[in-house]
Amino acid sequence: MSRIGKKPVELPSGVSATISGQTVEIKGPKATHRFTATDDVTITLDDNVIRVTPRGKSKRALQQWGMSRTMVANMVQGVTDGFKKELEITGVGYRAQVQGNILKLNLGYSHEVNFEVPKGVTVTCPKQTEIVIEGDDSQLVGQVAANIREWRAPEPYKGKGIRHKGEYIFRKEGKKK
């Protein structure tokens, strides 16, 4: 039994949902999202509560049960509050700034890295060493954060690079004399 799949998804005030077949459409104050579930699960709507149940006991049905419920819950959170990822830049001379739709990163390369921000996501830099990524799609916000972090992942000796806020980097000891 899926502990996540068993939990119902409650719709807050101002959010409406429509279910047609295997497609769920969530409308809220920030956006509208649509998700099509596989045929392994059944999605029902009763009194502002969405429930996901598996069809059968197959391994695939049980896998899709928890995943489908999480997708619906993420859509509800996205249309009401949105998602936010914060990145920190550590290193001498490493900095970031936003100009229009482009995030400019100085990361110790011989050139400046220009990262084009996709639609549906807003990127801000409150400080030169902080990047805040916000949007209403959990997957897109996480993917943009991963793509930015990929340019200079934190290294274990000095800890230089781009890390998630609060992320612990295991530090290694350098060469011994």
Side-chain angles (χ1 to χ4, degrees):
M1 296 289 289
S2 173
R3 292 181 187 204
I4 293 172
K6 281 193 272 186
K7 295 179 186 175
V9 179
E10 294 184 17
L11 298 177
S13 61
V15 176
S16 63
T18 56
I19 297 174
S20 59
Q22 293 298 98
T23 303
V24 180
E25 186 174 337
I26 309 279
K27 291 181 185 176
K30 285 194 170 197
T32 301
H33 286 291
R34 183 183 307 246
F35 170 69
T36 303
T38 61
D39 291 331
D40 298 314
V41 295
T42 304
I43 300 174
T44 57
L45 173 66
D46 314 317
D47 300 329
N48 284 343
V49 174
I50 298 175
R51 295 184 194 280
V52 180
T53 54
R55 291 182 185 167
K57 299 283 183 188
S58 68
K59 184 176 180 182
R60 179 170 164 78
L62 296 177
Q63 290 170 344
Q64 294 296 318
W65 182 20
M67 193 272 306
S68 299
R69 188 262 177 208
T70 302
M71 292 293 288
V72 171
N74 282 347
M75 289 192 315
V76 170
Q77 183 182 346
V79 299
T80 54
D81 303 329
F83 293 94
K84 179 179 180 179
K85 294 269 186 183
E86 297 180 11
L87 302 174
E88 295 175 334
I89 301 175
T90 308
V92 177
Y94 289 14
R95 60 184 175 269
Q97 64 182 8
V98 177
Q99 289 183 348
N101 197 27
I102 294 179
L103 176 67
K104 295 186 179 241
L105 300 166
N106 290 331
L107 299 172
Y109 295 119
S110 61
H111 56 87
E112 192 175 68
V113 175
N114 293 327
F115 181 81
E116 189 171 335
V117 179
K119 289 184 180 179
V121 174
T122 58
V123 175
T124 57
C125 293
K127 297 180 188 173
Q128 287 185 341
T129 58
E130 289 182 8
I131 302 170
V132 178
I133 304 155
E134 294 176 305
D136 54 31
D137 186 0
S138 172
Q139 195 275 332
L140 185 61
V141 170
Q143 188 62 51
V144 168
N147 290 345
I148 293 172
R149 187 179 189 269
E150 198 175 72
W151 280 101
R152 184 71 85 178
E155 52 95 18
Y157 295 101
K158 292 184 180 179
K160 293 167 44 170
I162 302 173
R163 71 177 83 187
H164 291 280
K165 192 167 191 171
E167 179 184 4
Y168 175 75
I169 305 299
F170 179 76
R171 302 293 289 272
K172 292 182 178 178
E173 191 175 338
K175 286 184 179 177
K176 302 228 178 177
K177 290 187 178 182

